[in-house]
Amino acid sequence: MPYPCLVRWPALILAATLLTCGGDDDGDTGDDPEGEAYACVQLPRPASSDIVALTRVYPQVAVEGAIDLALVPGGARWLYLVKSGLVYSFSVDGPAPPVLALDLRAQVIEDGEAGLLGVAVHPDFEVNGEVFLSYTTPGGDAFLSRVSRFRSVDGGVTLDPSSEEVILEVSQPYTNHNGGDIDFGPDGYLYWGLGDGGSGGDPLGNGQDPSTLLGAMLRIDVDGGSPYAIPEDNPFADGGGAPEVYAWGFRNPWRFSFDRETGALWTGDVGQNVWEEVDRVVLGGNYGWSVKEGDACFNQDSCDDAGLIDPVAQYRNTSSASVVGGAVYRGAALPELVGQYLYSDFYQGTLWAVVEGQAPTQVSAAGARSITAYAEGEDGELYAVRYDGAILRLEAAPPHEGEALPERLSATGCVDVAAPDDPGALHRYQLNVPFWSDGAEKDRWLSLPAGSTILPADDGDFELPPGAVVVKSFRLGGRLVETRLMVRHDDGAWAGYSYAWDEDGGDATLLAGGELRDIDGQAWSFPSPGDCLYCHTEAAGRTLGLERRQLARLVDDGGGGSVDQLSRFVELGLLLVDPGGEALPELDGGAALEERARAYLHANCSQCHRPDGPDGRANFDARYTTPLAETGMCDQPPRAGALEITDARVIAPGDPARSVLLARMRSLGPTRMPIIGSARVDEEGAALVDAWIAGLAVCP
């Protein structure tokens, strides 16, 4: 969802005579004795409404791919899981680095949603030393989901690999929706949550088939039999379904937990394309998938939902979403949340709290992004593990301070709502390769504080001073839909804000969070402030389009001719000098096919896929200036899932059908790239990349 954002920063080193906010787009400067032309650079940072802050703890622990965390009974050590198959342990008290407790990489399949997925420490660990692990391993149709018992003889510092005892295996028909979380309930039984087996839409009907272990919450007695016994009160202990099933109707339960005070079982269940849900799971409950997604009928106007249990809470998938179940809070640091269930979204980063029977409340707007699991300390305080390896503790957010950002766009001074096409004191600019925004038409403007200028970086990116504002307005079918502002505040940090236009086009209203709306029959995703910074990465310079390659082009001079855009920037005092360098080739221009395709990837992908970017496991470099041989894309196996493509590559030379990059461009939902901000495929862009890959004979 890249778009330019607003900025705020003290005046820089140039002469105060450069009235960079006072000129119109034709280069004229104007006096503004009332200061109105400068209003757009005086926007305050809104006071945070967060009541929870996620604070980094255990800085010595940071392993990419962190997936789960569990406290060893007795409260002395944590067990920390990495998706590739590594288990670490570390002390809850000291700064000592983690100890490698177990290495299962030789038997773990890590691919997309597969890997080492869950850990459960036996309640009687101090007596028996037992730890249970859930992971995917070779075998079955696609592979096997397995739960095994391991033993520790040193209090959880290490686990003995030779002690592994396989408890239960389930064949997975596809490679996604593996669930994989495990935990012991207050009844002493081991619970295991499994997804519906994968693909999309539950093609095998596993969610509503209690005779299969897929799409279900399982419950087994690992102390009462070899390798386990069936609890007598399991719904199908005497027949009629799989005896291990405790509840069913799940799509992909990701992280469940038991309320340490009441014993209630809660889980997050990842949705298809519309609803993410939170369920309060009871013995024998049917949670609806795939008859329903959330509380709505799935892919049909009506459905027979008799006997199905609706979620306690749900939220819309506005582009990409994946709910992460947390825990009922029973600590002391957040007294107002005691007894409430906390959960988050991996992509959106929002943290919510809910009590059964009440509407959920947002307690952190974006602090929980990329959280993979939650764990309780011995004192009931809640910890989170982030995919990049960081461990966070949930604490009270600092008091809210600061002015309010204007609720109406007209009050910002950035757009004249009576003449929204007129940049006024701001400077219009154009890009060689615009980012795909679901077919919307866009206008872009830039404003700097008086006496400041743009600073070109060595890599061609333009750094804007605090106080600068970048404005982008979007139209669908000629109708103004949204204006986004990206602001660099006084402290030098960036923030993004979204204003939704009224239907009559008279003004626009500030949105507190992300929303999905229907605009004349088209779904339109309004980003949250957190979404803005997720795509406007620090690695890419935050403003994205404001770089030399994008801006080096001819633009209308206002008199029927054309002028070099960067020369105009120099003339207006926005730049001291044109830094020089090549331009990004336009997609419909005469440049070579590879150059145009690489330009498309640069504009649409490289904000994340570059060194130090948040590209997760994908780990390739999509920048236009990086030689193809050094990008990590060409003929390289995908590290973030193959999407059921046989012999997949990120880019398979001459074979678009085997190219995961192209498949993600053409997909929707959780497999889509970019992962947020788009609900429509860019068919022209995909065709351009398809043609390039088809004509790529070999990798350089």
Side-chain angles (χ1 to χ4, degrees), residues 551-590:
L551 297 170
R553 57 175 290 130
L554 296 177
V555 295
D556 187 352
D557 66 0
S562 61
V563 63
D564 180 83
Q565 183 167 231
L566 288 175
S567 296
R568 171 60 63 85
F569 273 29
V570 174
E571 176 187 342
L572 294 173
L574 301 176
L575 278 171
L576 285 178
V577 64
D578 182 348
E582 64 177 324
L584 206 63
E586 297 185 39
L587 302 185
D588 57 357

Side-chain angles (χ1 to χ4, degrees), residues 437-442 473-482 517-526 680:
S437 298
D438 284 2
E441 299 174 347
K442 290 171 278 190
S473 287
F474 298 78
R475 283 181 171 82
L476 290 175
R479 170 185 167 185
L480 268 171
V481 174
E482 179 183 0
R517 297 185 183 179
D518 183 286
I519 306 296
D520 298 331
Q522 177 175 334
W524 182 260
S525 177
F526 293 88
R680 296 180 64 188

Side-chain angles (χ1 to χ4, degrees), residues 95 104 143 159 165 168 195 217 253 260 288 294 296 298 347 353 368 400 426 452 467 523 621 637 661 690:
L104 287 179
F143 46 67
L159 304 179
E165 176 188 356
L168 179 58
M217 186 72 68
R260 61 165 53 192
F298 176 67
Y347 296 107
H400 306 154
L426 279 69
S452 66
D621 186 354
L661 181 146
D690 188 307

Side-chain angles (χ1 to χ4, degrees), residues 270 445 507 633 648:
V270 179
W445 305 291
D507 207 339
M633 294 191 294

Side-chain angles (χ1 to χ4, degrees), residues 341-388:
Y341 179 73
L342 302 182
Y343 61 99
S344 62
D345 186 274
F346 181 85
Y347 296 107
Q348 300 175 18
T350 312
L351 181 69
W352 292 275
V354 69
V355 175
E356 191 169 9
Q358 299 181 19
T361 57
Q362 178 180 294
V363 295
S364 179
R369 191 181 299 280
S370 299
I371 298 299
T372 56
Y374 293 86
E376 288 184 272
E378 195 168 46
D379 57 0
E381 298 303 336
L382 201 56
Y383 295 78
V385 59
R386 203 165 61 198
Y387 192 75
D388 66 2

